[in-house]
Amino acid sequence: MKRFTHDEMAARVARDIPDGAYVNLGIGLPTRVANHLPPDREIVLHTENGLLGMGPAPATGAEDFDLINAGKQPVTALPGASYFHHADSFAMMRGGHLDYCVLGAFQVSVAGDLANWHTGASDAIPAVGGAMDLAIGAKHVYVMMEHLTKDGASKIVARCTYPLTGLACVERIYTDLAVIDVTPAGLVAVDVVPGLPFAELARLTGVPLADGSAAVHVA
Amino acid sequence: MKRFTHDEMAARVARDIPDGAYVNLGIGLPTRVANHLPPDREIVLHTENGLLGMGPAPATGAEDFDLINAGKQPVTALPGASYFHHADSFAMMRGGHLDYCVLGAFQVSVAGDLANWHTGASDAIPAVGGAMDLAIGAKHVYVMMEHLTKDGASKIVARCTYPLTGLACVERIYTDLAVIDVTPAGLVAVDVVPGLPFAELARLTGVPLADGSAAVHVA
Amino acid sequence: MAARRRPSRPVIDKIVPTAAAAVADVHDGATIMVGGFGTAGIPFELIDALIATGARDLTVVNNNAGNADTGVAALLKTKRVRRIVCSFPRQVDSWVFDALYRTGEIELELVPQGNLAERIRAAGAGIGAFYTPTGYGTQLAEGKETREIAGRRYVLEYPIHADFALIKAQAGDRWGNLVYRKTARNFGPIMAAAAKCTIAQVASVVGLGELDPEAIVTPGIYVHRVVAIADAATPAVAA
Amino acid sequence: MAARRRPSRPVIDKIVPTAAAAVADVHDGATIMVGGFGTAGIPFELIDALIATGARDLTVVNNNAGNADTGVAALLKTKRVRRIVCSFPRQVDSWVFDALYRTGEIELELVPQGNLAERIRAAGAGIGAFYTPTGYGTQLAEGKETREIAGRRYVLEYPIHADFALIKAQAGDRWGNLVYRKTARNFGPIMAAAAKCTIAQVASVVGLGELDPEAIVTPGIYVHRVVAIADAATPAVAA
């Protein structure tokens, strides 16, 4: 079965974010979206640890570990960037000022509930970071994740079995198989990886899923 | 009857504020305390409108109306001063970081309740400003006021009849007749204007008042 | 090569040409925060432009209620302000407000200054409500929910949101980043974050990257329109 | 004449000579906030001095729970930390914490990062408690009071106070004014305001008046001791 690569997923997310947007990219897969934001567009990246206007990674040897992103990787600051402390940074998130955030996930429910901070395993060390703040803070919350677990189970579920990050917060899910909108009427697949019949996607997903890809392709 | 002048009252307050203290001086009479802080002492003045390290009034002609105090009078900024916005300024007050504030008052009760923002007159336009924040915020709240109203009534009362600014917040009262501490055991006059017998002060004050001036004079 | 990577046109450009253009869409019934304390930080030119729009039935949030016949006072004088939320309306030259208040032509919500600042800050920070010790036991807390926490008594206060914030800053860039001047900073930064649309008049527009990122007070995310108003000196104010 | 008005000696001087002197009075059972996010802003030298005091039964508040074997991890390794309050203890090199946690030798209070920041800010700002939307409906809000306000659901959270804050800044003066460096600012300013005694290590001590009053991030009122630690470069950190 063909799948969208991580870079294809990231490129698609990047294409869906409008010019001028203020965006936070979560740790892991979402970080890759930054590589696909074309230089002729101005999209302002926020990092929870106190920087708006984050630029790309520095050249090797030019790293400054006082200038890092949420994943503790060295970054740069663009002209127009500003620094602020943690309460101000999370006020920016919680106050609904960011247009988009893109998060990784373990599970997303049909209601848009998000589980991405804890597997619930009894021996796991829990760590939440800023995930819960982003989940409830940004105007649009997008998720990027594999469609299926390694065991082939759908990560899109009727009800999350992993501990929740936020309730009814996810608006759109980008997976290696499809792009799926969470709507009041239920999940709608707006794009499917070429070669995968919608019926097969629906079977793999295992929860009610409407086919919205035709409408999108026409538009 | 001899009375302490406003300048004598202000000088006494200034003498009672220790070196290195962070201090807010309220509008009106308390502002005069600044004139009595000797230049060989460092006391850091806060003004609610976003300045720590306020200096004296500028020379005539050098006024900058972007650099004013809470009373909207032009001031200066000392080396070491810093500016901040209103939420930060009042966080500094409410958070208990100021050592002293000195406020004017209409009435102070034996319990240390303060009334200084509104006469309660039906035709008066109410205005509170930062008085309530200062009353509850500073570690030590001092009041400077005339002892008696123009009609000869005591402004130190069993219970405030004017609308309250804060409950049980005043620690010490400087008047033109005496310096009075508000203690859990009641009011104690720690200083009386020369020539005024304590009994006469107590009569004019009209609420229970202990004579603590001897102890202070010994100390 | 660096030149080739530069955008052919800046896609984020919040600079608008005139104060009139900046406030053109203020609607009747809007809640408008106005920065400033006394005259410091009052966006006089934006207020004049707002008056010219004719918008009415407004709610104004400002620390004071206008001085003399300019600024907020000039706006009140039009009788298009239904309600004002402030901490200190009574000043020696607040005759415009005084007259409207005495004749019942304006509603007043009087808020202790620190609660006013914190309620504005809460709106921008997504806080639903907070317990403040300020005002407990006073007339200004009457009817409000209270609670004792760790032996201290508090009043529950709610955020103040606005449709528009009109503020004044010293310099701004096309991303909307702002720095202020001395005590004219006052309410600007918190109002910027509390309004759906924040309009800043600045003494000068500077190039992107010219403001020190360590010293930017209001990050551009909070500012929607920036208009350059040179020579906007702050007038003296009666106490 | 100006010279005659200058104080004969500076009466406010918060500069202390060594990290050891700065932390000498940390007592057993103290709650200690430690600035930093990853390694940026971690006051390594102050932590080393704290370890040398032998103080035990500590509660530590930090965003993480230590990296590798230095900083907060080195402190945890002494087993003198009873409890840690943080948002993100699990990192690839957090083996010291991991081992203590798995053997039950340390208590963990896990707090969403924004609630952690806001609770610290509330302590410094005198707020008794606040309603936050973050964490509502999740395991981290279990047992906490909730409320619906204007159609949105919130959790009630309380301030986090500390006895000491150990933070790192770029420059400071004898009044305790501080500026920070890039994203090493993070928790420094809010922790400074939340602790009874705030100790800042700075890369350089500058003369009073050398810091731009418009750009000072932490006013000196929040800082009690300043110690110069030159050459305190921030090490790389594993993600």
Side-chain angles (χ1 to χ4, degrees):
Chain A
M1 182 167 66
K2 184 181 179 325
R3 296 168 187 274
F4 291 127
T5 65
H6 286 175
D7 275 321
E8 284 168 342
M9 291 164 66
R12 172 66 192 266
V13 173
R15 211 163 63 231
D16 289 353
I17 293 175
D19 285 346
Y22 292 93
V23 179
N24 185 297
L25 301 174
I27 297 179
L29 196 48
T31 301
R32 195 179 292 244
V33 172
N35 301 341
H36 295 273
L37 298 172
D40 64 343
R41 298 176 59 197
E42 278 191 348
I43 286 172
V44 183
L45 297 181
H46 169 267
T47 180
E48 66 191 23
N49 52 317
L51 168 62
L52 191 67
M54 182 175 71
T60 304
E63 297 89 350
D64 177 346
F65 286 91
D66 280 345
L67 180 48
I68 57 176
N69 64 15
K72 284 95 180 180
Q73 300 159 319
V75 295
T76 51
L78 298 177
S82 53
Y83 297 106
F84 30 82
H85 65 56
H86 245 81
D88 280 352
S89 185
F90 280 78
M92 198 178 278
M93 294 154 75
R94 193 192 311 108
H97 304 282
L98 295 175
D99 296 306
Y100 293 85
C101 79
V102 187
L103 295 170
F106 297 142
Q107 293 178 323
V108 178
S109 82
V110 295
D113 294 349
L114 171 67
N116 79 344
W117 70 279
H118 193 6
T119 60
S122 60
D123 66 337
I125 292 183
V128 65
M132 289 184 179
D133 302 276
L134 283 166
I136 59 86
K139 293 188 186 105
H140 307 281
V141 176
Y142 287 177
V143 157
M144 285 176 79
M145 65 177 185
E146 312 297 329
H147 205 97
L148 305 173
T149 66
K150 281 171 187 151
D151 299 336
S154 176
K155 295 171 76 170
I156 301 171
V157 294
R159 198 182 161 84
C160 294
T161 56
Y162 289 159
L164 290 178
T165 305
L167 295 174
C169 54
V170 178
E171 185 176 311
R172 179 172 268 204
I173 310 164
Y174 294 84
T175 78
D176 49 341
L177 300 185
V179 179
I180 294 174
D181 279 350
V182 180
T183 80
L187 301 178
V188 179
V190 295
D191 201 6
V192 184
V193 68
L196 180 66
F198 173 78
E200 177 62 6
L201 175 70
R203 191 191 64 78
L204 289 168
T205 307
V207 291
L209 183 66
D211 185 358
S213 58
V216 165
H217 288 151
V218 169
Chain B
M1 184 166 62
K2 184 182 176 329
R3 297 168 187 272
F4 292 127
T5 65
H6 287 175
D7 276 320
E8 285 168 342
M9 291 165 66
R12 171 68 192 263
V13 173
R15 210 165 61 231
D16 289 352
I17 293 174
D19 285 346
Y22 292 93
V23 178
N24 185 298
L25 301 174
I27 297 179
L29 196 47
T31 301
R32 194 179 294 244
V33 173
N35 301 342
H36 295 272
L37 297 172
D40 64 343
R41 298 177 58 196
E42 278 190 347
I43 285 173
V44 183
L45 298 181
H46 169 267
T47 179
E48 67 191 22
N49 51 319
L51 168 61
L52 191 68
M54 182 174 73
T60 305
E63 296 90 350
D64 177 347
F65 286 91
D66 280 344
L67 179 49
I68 58 176
N69 64 14
K72 282 96 180 178
Q73 298 159 321
V75 294
T76 51
L78 298 177
S82 53
Y83 298 106
F84 31 82
H85 63 58
H86 245 80
D88 281 350
S89 184
F90 279 78
M92 197 178 281
M93 295 154 73
R94 193 193 308 108
H97 303 282
L98 295 176
D99 297 305
Y100 293 84
C101 79
V102 187
L103 296 170
F106 297 142
Q107 292 178 325
V108 178
S109 82
V110 293
D113 294 349
L114 171 67
N116 79 345
W117 70 280
H118 192 7
T119 60
S122 59
D123 65 337
I125 292 183
V128 65
M132 290 184 180
D133 301 277
L134 283 166
I136 60 86
K139 293 188 187 105
H140 306 282
V141 175
Y142 288 177
V143 156
M144 286 177 78
M145 64 179 187
E146 312 297 329
H147 206 96
L148 306 173
T149 67
K150 281 170 189 150
D151 299 336
S154 175
K155 295 171 76 172
I156 300 171
V157 294
R159 198 184 160 86
C160 294
T161 55
Y162 289 158
L164 290 178
T165 305
L167 295 174
C169 54
V170 177
E171 185 176 313
R172 179 171 267 204
I173 309 164
Y174 295 84
T175 79
D176 49 341
L177 301 184
V179 179
I180 295 174
D181 279 350
V182 181
T183 79
L187 300 180
V188 180
V190 295
D191 202 8
V192 184
V193 69
L196 180 66
F198 173 78
E200 177 62 5
L201 175 70
R203 192 191 62 78
L204 289 168
T205 307
V207 292
L209 183 66
D211 184 358
S213 58
V216 165
H217 286 152
V218 169
Chain C
M1 236 166 77
R4 295 189 58 185
R5 290 178 58 88
R6 191 171 298 161
S8 52
R9 60 184 180 89
V11 292
I12 301 178
D13 189 355
K14 299 180 179 180
I15 312 298
V16 293
T18 63
V23 301
D25 59 349
V26 174
H27 53 276
D28 291 354
T31 293
I32 302 179
M33 289 179 174
V34 180
F37 179 95
T39 52
I42 293 277
F44 286 98
E45 287 77 4
L46 290 178
I47 296 171
D48 289 345
L50 172 63
I51 293 169
T53 67
R56 57 182 60 246
D57 192 31
L58 304 175
T59 294
V60 166
V61 182
N62 177 246
N63 186 61
N64 304 108
N67 297 100
D69 294 293
T70 59
V72 172
L75 176 59
L76 298 186
K77 212 170 183 176
T78 64
K79 303 197 178 182
R80 301 193 202 121
V81 177
R82 185 176 57 76
R83 184 164 175 271
I84 188 160
V85 181
C86 69
S87 90
F88 206 80
R90 185 190 63 227
Q91 301 185 84
V92 295
D93 60 351
S94 58
W95 51 75
V96 174
F97 171 81
D98 295 4
L100 293 169
Y101 181 75
R102 290 189 199 285
T103 54
E105 291 176 276
I106 192 164
E107 280 176 50
L108 168 66
E109 180 181 350
L110 190 71
V111 183
Q113 196 171 159
N115 288 353
L116 182 64
E118 190 70 9
R119 289 173 65 189
I120 294 168
R121 191 256 173 198
I127 297 298
F130 59 90
Y131 289 97
T132 172
T134 304
Y136 179 88
T138 75
Q139 189 178 301
L140 297 187
E142 267 172 27
K144 299 194 174 191
E145 196 175 327
T146 61
R147 182 183 294 219
E148 185 171 320
I149 300 169
R152 195 166 195 201
R153 292 172 299 183
Y154 296 88
V155 183
L156 186 63
E157 292 282 359
Y158 293 88
I160 303 175
H161 295 269
D163 298 302
F164 295 88
L166 309 185
I167 64 174
K168 180 178 176 179
Q170 179 63 8
D173 62 29
R174 66 177 173 83
W175 276 16
N177 293 306
L178 301 178
V179 295
Y180 299 83
R181 184 167 184 275
K182 303 185 178 182
T183 58
R185 184 183 304 194
N186 57 63
F187 283 89
I190 51 174
M191 288 181 169
K196 285 188 205 125
C197 178
T198 293
I199 305 166
Q201 69 170 68
V202 298
S204 66
V205 169
V206 300
L208 197 68
E210 284 183 45
L211 297 175
D212 177 1
E214 300 280 9
I216 287 171
V217 174
T218 296
I221 192 170
Y222 296 122
V223 178
H224 304 85
R225 299 169 195 165
V226 174
V227 58
I229 307 281
D231 309 319
T234 301
V237 62
Chain D
M1 233 165 84
R4 296 190 54 186
R5 290 180 59 86
R6 190 172 299 162
S8 53
R9 60 182 180 94
V11 292
I12 300 177
D13 189 354
K14 299 181 180 181
I15 312 298
V16 292
T18 64
V23 301
D25 61 348
V26 173
H27 52 275
D28 292 352
T31 293
I32 302 180
M33 290 181 173
V34 180
F37 179 95
T39 53
I42 293 277
F44 286 98
E45 287 76 5
L46 289 178
I47 296 171
D48 290 344
L50 172 63
I51 292 169
T53 66
R56 55 182 60 245
D57 193 31
L58 304 174
T59 294
V60 166
V61 182
N62 176 245
N63 186 61
N64 303 108
N67 296 101
D69 294 293
T70 59
V72 172
L75 177 59
L76 298 187
K77 214 171 178 175
T78 64
K79 302 197 180 181
R80 300 193 203 119
V81 178
R82 186 176 57 77
R83 184 164 175 270
I84 188 161
V85 181
C86 69
S87 90
F88 207 80
R90 186 189 64 228
Q91 299 185 85
V92 294
D93 59 352
S94 57
W95 50 75
V96 174
F97 171 80
D98 295 5
L100 293 169
Y101 181 74
R102 288 188 202 285
T103 55
E105 292 176 275
I106 193 164
E107 279 176 52
L108 168 66
E109 181 181 349
L110 190 72
V111 184
Q113 196 171 156
N115 288 355
L116 181 64
E118 189 70 9
R119 290 174 64 190
I120 294 168
R121 190 256 173 199
I127 297 298
F130 59 90
Y131 289 97
T132 172
T134 303
Y136 179 89
T138 76
Q139 188 178 300
L140 296 186
E142 268 171 25
K144 299 195 172 190
E145 195 175 329
T146 62
R147 182 183 294 220
E148 185 169 322
I149 300 167
R152 196 169 193 199
R153 293 173 299 184
Y154 296 87
V155 183
L156 185 64
E157 292 282 0
Y158 293 87
I160 302 176
H161 295 269
D163 298 302
F164 294 88
L166 310 185
I167 64 173
K168 182 179 176 178
Q170 178 63 10
D173 61 30
R174 66 176 173 84
W175 277 17
N177 293 305
L178 301 178
V179 295
Y180 299 83
R181 184 165 184 273
K182 304 185 179 181
T183 58
R185 184 184 303 194
N186 57 66
F187 283 89
I190 52 174
M191 287 181 169
K196 284 186 209 130
C197 178
T198 293
I199 305 166
Q201 69 170 69
V202 299
S204 66
V205 168
V206 300
L208 197 69
E210 284 183 46
L211 298 175
D212 177 1
E214 301 280 9
I216 287 172
V217 173
T218 295
I221 192 171
Y222 295 123
V223 178
H224 304 86
R225 300 170 196 166
V226 175
V227 57
I229 307 281
D231 309 318
T234 301
V237 62

